Amino acid sequence: GHRVVHGGDAYDGPVLIDGDVLRVLDRFVPMAPSHQPHNLAAIAAFAKLHPGLPQVACFDTAFHQSQTDLARAYALPRDLSAAGVRRYGFHGLSYEYIASVLPKFAGKAADGRVVVAHLGHGASMCAMRGRRSVATTMGFTALDGLPMGRRCGALDPGVVPYLVREHGLSVEEVEGLLYQKSGLLGVSGISDDMRDLLASGQPEAAEAVELFCYRIGRELGSLAAALGGLDVLVFTGGIGEHAAQVRATVCGFAHWLGVRLDEAANNLGGPRLSPTGATPSVFVIPTDEDLMIARHTLQIVRDLASRGDDANRAADVA
């Protein structure tokens, strides 16, 4: 089983990989240049080593296929939208896992108005209703939305032509700047690792952390607006699960939404971070993308066996 970042509109769930699937996935390389080529390289390597082994692609975009066309649209000419320039969203395997276990933590509220903050080196947020994606912060690529370890997040599109005209940057240089030299690293000038920034006494490190939290707070307001309110807030991902200071700062920004934080519970890492009976409820829930991939892969292999399909033929990615 493989995590494949981009499945576009072609796939709304996991799929057995064959040559046709690979040709489709290769079309999405320009949309996820930092991820998709490496995902496909691993598939090719396994195909050479074990040509009869069934391989399954599990997509970070699939969970967001439940969003409406309105939520996924850009205000661009219709021919560009028809060509696939639209919002896709990512971290879907993480959100799918959280949706699957949330009733154990939040009870009936799990099917209400939920925002999940997947905060790590890559970071995004997802609004759910009925444990299905309604809106998310990432869009056409995994560059949009929150500031990340090295990615800038949401940016005025006018910055790009400005950098080209006034600073003489090439397309490749702009891409490298936005994907590799920005985010926490760019703002702090110190590190792309939240642990380093929280431990640093440098004001630039503090500014990077504050900007990260402020932008999470702004996006939370936007997602709550898309939902018409907020019943549950979940923190997950490496930063979301381990950085109590980040969680506390974000909850401070969200006080206007009724979010309250139990400081002792937050310092202990939860799982419940809000006072008992408080609404919205706030939780920290460790994600498990690998488990989702394992479950999907097992199901597809079982389906193959039950149909008596020729696995060697189906797994041919040559």
Side-chain angles (χ1 to χ4, degrees), residues 135-225:
T136 189
T137 56
M138 284 181 169
F140 180 68
T141 70
L143 188 65
D144 198 8
L146 302 175
M148 301 171 230
R150 290 173 175 257
R151 286 172 261 169
C152 63
L155 182 76
D156 181 343
V159 171
V160 174
Y162 170 81
L163 292 174
V164 172
R165 286 195 307 263
E166 302 301 324
H167 290 261
L169 272 62
S170 67
V171 171
E172 292 76 17
E173 288 171 330
V174 170
E175 189 173 67
L177 172 68
L178 302 184
Y179 275 96
Q180 297 295 333
K181 300 179 181 179
S182 299
L184 296 176
L185 176 64
V187 176
S188 70
I190 296 171
S191 176
D192 61 354
D193 191 316
M194 180 60 74
R195 292 168 295 188
D196 295 338
L197 300 181
L198 290 174
S200 173
Q202 297 300 311
E204 294 85 356
E207 289 173 6
V209 175
E210 187 73 6
L211 177 59
F212 182 71
C213 296
Y214 169 73
R215 291 281 294 278
I216 295 168
R218 282 191 57 169
E219 292 290 354
L220 178 57
S222 173
L223 295 174

Side-chain angles (χ1 to χ4, degrees), residues 39-212:
N39 302 154
L40 300 184
I43 294 169
F46 269 96
K48 288 181 179 179
L49 290 170
H50 305 284
L53 182 70
Q55 298 192 69
V56 175
C58 303
F59 302 102
D60 262 342
T61 48
F63 185 74
H64 303 294
Q65 292 275 9
S66 59
Q67 293 182 15
T68 65
D69 288 341
L70 180 65
R72 303 180 68 198
Y74 289 117
L76 290 169
R78 300 184 72 88
D79 58 336
L80 289 176
S81 299
V85 183
R86 59 189 304 176
R87 301 183 67 89
Y88 292 99
F90 300 90
H91 292 137
L93 291 165
S94 175
Y95 294 129
E96 184 181 12
Y97 174 79
I98 297 299
S100 74
V101 300
L102 190 55
K104 299 176 184 177
F105 297 87
K108 293 181 180 179
D111 287 315
R113 301 166 297 182
V114 177
V115 172
V116 181
H118 176 104
L119 308 178
H121 195 264
S124 70
M125 300 171 70
C126 179
M128 301 180 193
R129 186 183 295 111
R131 288 185 284 154
R132 292 167 61 85
S133 178
V134 172
T136 189
T137 56
M138 284 181 169
F140 180 68
T141 70
L143 188 65
D144 198 8
L146 302 175
M148 301 171 230
R150 290 173 175 257
R151 286 172 261 169
C152 63
L155 182 76
D156 181 343
V159 171
V160 174
Y162 170 81
L163 292 174
V164 172
R165 286 195 307 263
E166 302 301 324
H167 290 261
L169 272 62
S170 67
V171 171
E172 292 76 17
E173 288 171 330
V174 170
E175 189 173 67
L177 172 68
L178 302 184
Y179 275 96
Q180 297 295 333
K181 300 179 181 179
S182 299
L184 296 176
L185 176 64
V187 176
S188 70
I190 296 171
S191 176
D192 61 354
D193 191 316
M194 180 60 74
R195 292 168 295 188
D196 295 338
L197 300 181
L198 290 174
S200 173
Q202 297 300 311
E204 294 85 356
E207 289 173 6
V209 175
E210 187 73 6
L211 177 59
F212 182 71

